Amino acid sequence: HHFSHANIIDFAGRPFVNVDHINYSMVEKWNSVVNEDDTVYVLGDFAMGHREKTLVLADQLNGYKKLVPGNHDNCWKGLSVKMVEKWTPYYEGVGFEIMPGQMDHTLPDGTVVTLCHFPYSFTTRYDDKYSGNRPIDEGKWLLHGHTHEKEIRTGERQIHIGVDAWDFTPVSEEWIMEIIDESN
């Protein structure tokens, strides 16, 4: 999401004029598809900017929120232990359950997918700065964020669920199952 990140507008070609526009639009889009009793997995990089002010936006978002931390989340295990210990309570305080950096998730049709902020492999736009944090491809479909690409399919068995590919709206499991079914 990169809530409150002014530079993401130019970096990712987002159609917003400022951070207030980003924040308002993404909260509205989230709440238009997520009900209070839904569970949403956020695959990293929820907030940028002043974290204490930005993280409170999570309180405005419907549903139960599970965060698989990314490199821009101050609770990401790739940062110092001191940083993670300091910031984890902030994320939890606005309603996030902090999940492992990589985990399996079973879709309603029984398909087991891997959730991780990082893709198995990067496109040419990205360097290999985080190569040690990428999941190992063990043959499962991967749902990932990180890249800010507009493409949904970013490689074999890779689905980019970042907001830049989905009109800044969370993706339903039904859409994911359809993509996987059409690809098999």
Side-chain angles (χ1 to χ4, degrees), residues 5 8 13-14 20 25 31 39 50 72 75 80 88 99-100 105 119-120 126-127 130 134 156 168 178:
H5 186 197
I8 200 71
R14 289 187 177 182
D20 290 335
S25 297
N31 289 336
T39 297
H50 191 272
H72 290 297
C75 60
S80 72
T88 295
M99 308 306 290
H105 175 71
Y120 288 139
Y126 294 89
D127 61 28
Y130 297 103
R134 293 183 311 190
E156 188 176 347
F168 309 99
E178 188 174 313

Side-chain angles (χ1 to χ4, degrees), residues 6 79 102 109 112 134 172:
L79 300 173
Q102 176 182 332
D109 67 358
V112 177
R134 293 183 311 190
S172 71

Side-chain angles (χ1 to χ4, degrees), residues 74-91:
N74 288 355
C75 60
W76 178 54
K77 302 290 186 203
L79 300 173
S80 72
V81 172
K82 190 174 188 176
M83 175 82 79
V84 172
E85 287 175 351
K86 174 186 175 184
W87 281 96
T88 295
Y90 282 93
Y91 285 83

Side-chain angles (χ1 to χ4, degrees), residues 9-36:
I9 295 169
D10 290 332
F11 176 76
R14 289 187 177 182
F16 304 113
V17 295
N18 57 37
V19 294
D20 290 335
H21 190 205
I22 289 172
N23 295 346
Y24 175 81
S25 297
M26 289 198 302
V27 167
E28 289 295 308
K29 285 180 176 276
W30 176 300
N31 289 336
S32 74
V33 298
V34 177
N35 296 313
E36 287 297 328

Side-chain angles (χ1 to χ4, degrees), residues 23-184:
N23 295 346
Y24 175 81
S25 297
M26 289 198 302
V27 167
E28 289 295 308
K29 285 180 176 276
W30 176 300
N31 289 336
S32 74
V33 298
V34 177
N35 296 313
E36 287 297 328
D37 58 345
D38 289 338
T39 297
V40 178
Y41 287 86
V42 176
L43 300 188
D45 293 358
F46 178 77
M48 293 288 287
H50 191 272
R51 299 298 196 287
E52 290 169 330
K53 292 179 181 176
T54 303
L55 285 174
V56 297
L57 290 170
D59 285 333
Q60 298 176 30
L61 302 172
N62 292 340
Y64 182 68
K65 294 164 281 295
K66 296 185 176 196
L67 177 65
V68 177
N71 56 297
H72 290 297
D73 295 306
N74 288 355
C75 60
W76 178 54
K77 302 290 186 203
L79 300 173
S80 72
V81 172
K82 190 174 188 176
M83 175 82 79
V84 172
E85 287 175 351
K86 174 186 175 184
W87 281 96
T88 295
Y90 282 93
Y91 285 83
E92 292 171 341
V94 296
F96 279 111
E97 178 181 352
I98 308 299
M99 308 306 290
Q102 176 182 332
M103 60 179 287
D104 285 345
H105 175 71
T106 304
L107 298 173
D109 67 358
T111 302
V112 177
V113 297
T114 298
L115 305 179
C116 186
H117 176 65
F118 301 101
Y120 288 139
S121 59
F122 292 106
T123 63
T124 56
R125 181 175 173 187
Y126 294 89
D127 61 28
D128 234 5
K129 183 174 169 181
Y130 297 103
S131 62
N133 301 103
R134 293 183 311 190
I136 296 170
D137 185 350
E138 297 175 341
K140 288 183 241 160
W141 279 86
L142 172 70
L143 309 184
H144 73 87
H146 187 67
T147 66
H148 300 286
E149 298 292 339
K150 306 283 188 265
E151 290 78 25
I152 293 169
R153 290 287 307 278
T154 57
E156 188 176 347
R157 292 183 319 281
Q158 289 188 157
I159 300 173
H160 175 226
I161 60 89
V163 296
D164 296 288
W166 293 92
D167 193 32
F168 309 99
T169 305
V171 183
S172 71
E173 289 180 315
E174 287 74 24
W175 275 108
I176 299 300
M177 291 185 300
E178 188 174 313
I179 292 167
I180 291 171
D181 187 52
E182 288 174 358
S183 300
N184 288 333

